[in-house]
Amino acid sequence: MSTGVPQLPRGEVGFADRLHRLVFNKLRFYRAPDLVVPPRPDDEVNAAVRGAAAYGRKIAVHSGGHWEHY
């Protein structure tokens, strides 16, 4: 999905480790998203949501009040 926002697609080197670091309780997961997009300013959030809609993708928001830099 091309939005101009940093992205981490499933299958990219380091994807599983990066995703595991996002899980607060450090439990292993058995499902994973196709793409992780960590937008920061409002315009990146808007671009990510519009990009998902343009590609017919579902989105889920993960926000725990803490931010781990990408």
Side-chain angles (χ1 to χ4, degrees), residues 16-17 19-21 23 25-31:
D17 290 333
L19 190 59
H20 181 69
R21 285 195 303 267
V23 178
N25 60 8
K26 303 303 177 212
L27 294 176
R28 283 290 169 190
F29 47 85
Y30 298 98
R31 298 183 310 166

Side-chain angles (χ1 to χ4, degrees), residues 14-62:
F15 176 83
D17 290 333
R18 173 71 174 114
L19 190 59
H20 181 69
R21 285 195 303 267
L22 295 173
V23 178
F24 78 96
N25 60 8
K26 303 303 177 212
L27 294 176
R28 283 290 169 190
F29 47 85
Y30 298 98
R31 298 183 310 166
D34 291 331
L35 182 69
V36 175
V37 180
R40 286 189 152 244
D42 293 348
D43 60 329
E44 287 187 356
V45 174
N46 291 334
V49 171
R50 286 189 179 115
Y55 285 88
R57 306 300 290 192
K58 294 180 182 179
I59 63 169
V61 176
H62 171 80

